[in-house]
Amino acid sequence: MKHLKSFITMSTLLLGSASVFAASHAGAPMAKDVAKTEAAVPAPADMVNGEIRKVDKENKKITLKHGAIKNLDMPGMTMVFGIKDVAMLDGLKIGDKVKFKAEQTGTAITVTDIQPAK
Ligand SMILES: [Cu+2]
């Protein structure tokens, strides 16, 4: 009888801890939903390595030789980008190595962030 009693006590403890486990994870599905929502949003732009080839402040354009741009699914190449704000080009010149973010804005691809590469 002593054995049976300790068995029951053990089972009760296990059940007890199981429900505590369930309770403490009650918030988990919500966190999962948040992650799902974030995944539905287009991939955030990564910083891409580039080198300035041409700057056209008047037309808000910049030519960059760039590495692969993951968020745009683009391999490395040299191409013209639109620039969100020409002030971002202050202090940058042709030949400078940069890190930049590019995003698709309608039919154009625009540099939304650019800074000297360190
Ligand atoms: Cu490109």
Side-chain angles (χ1 to χ4, degrees):
M1 246 356 224
K2 204 180 171 193
H3 277 88
L4 181 62
K5 198 179 172 192
S6 64
F7 175 73
I8 290 167
T9 308
M10 276 292 286
S11 305
T12 311
L13 279 171
L14 283 171
L15 281 172
S17 59
S19 54
V20 168
F21 182 84
S24 67
H25 284 72
M30 238 176 84
K32 231 184 236 169
D33 286 347
V34 170
K36 221 184 222 173
T37 309
E38 279 171 358
V41 173
D46 291 320
M47 290 306 271
V48 180
N49 291 310
E51 190 183 313
I52 299 177
R53 286 299 162 90
K54 203 172 153 190
V55 174
D56 182 355
K57 286 192 179 180
E58 209 172 299
N59 295 305
K60 293 179 86 177
K61 285 194 166 109
I62 184 171
T63 306
L64 290 167
K65 181 185 174 193
H66 68 78
I69 307 177
K70 250 190 278 175
N71 59 296
L72 296 177
D73 204 16
M74 186 189 279
M77 67 180 81
T78 300
M79 64 182 274
V80 179
F81 291 90
I83 188 104
K84 197 174 154 196
D85 182 358
V86 285
M88 295 195 305
L89 302 176
D90 287 349
L92 294 172
K93 60 184 188 308
I94 291 162
D96 279 359
K97 296 254 199 304
V98 293
K99 282 195 179 290
F100 69 99
K101 279 183 190 173
E103 285 169 44
Q104 182 96 36
T105 48
T107 54
I109 292 170
T110 305
V111 172
T112 56
D113 189 13
I114 188 164
Q115 52 192 261
K118 279 164 203 130

